[in-house]
Amino acid sequence: MDIQVGQVLELKKAHPCGSKQWMVLRVGMDFRLRCTGCGHELMLPRSKVEKSVKKIIPTGGTQA
């Protein structure tokens, strides 16, 4: 799965604040994610994140 820094992911389970969308801050063996609802940050192993991604939300910017 090709996930990059700056993308927004929609996960299967909602955060306790009610948001299902997370912004990717760091990629590698672990992912650092920030909840777009409340701003809470956490680190999760790559395998857990890849299993829980429902969809990758496209961003408005263009890539060169």
Side-chain angles (χ1 to χ4, degrees), residues 9-12 20 49 51-56:
L9 307 176
E10 183 172 321
L11 302 183
K12 293 177 183 175
K20 287 187 173 186
V49 172
K51 282 195 289 189
S52 64
V53 170
K54 190 172 186 180
K55 67 179 175 178
I56 298 173

Side-chain angles (χ1 to χ4, degrees), residues 27-47:
V27 293
M29 284 300 293
D30 294 322
F31 279 53
R32 179 174 290 276
L33 303 175
R34 178 184 294 147
C35 178
T36 58
C38 66
H40 182 78
E41 291 186 13
L42 54 91
M43 286 191 77
L44 292 172
R46 174 180 281 271
S47 59

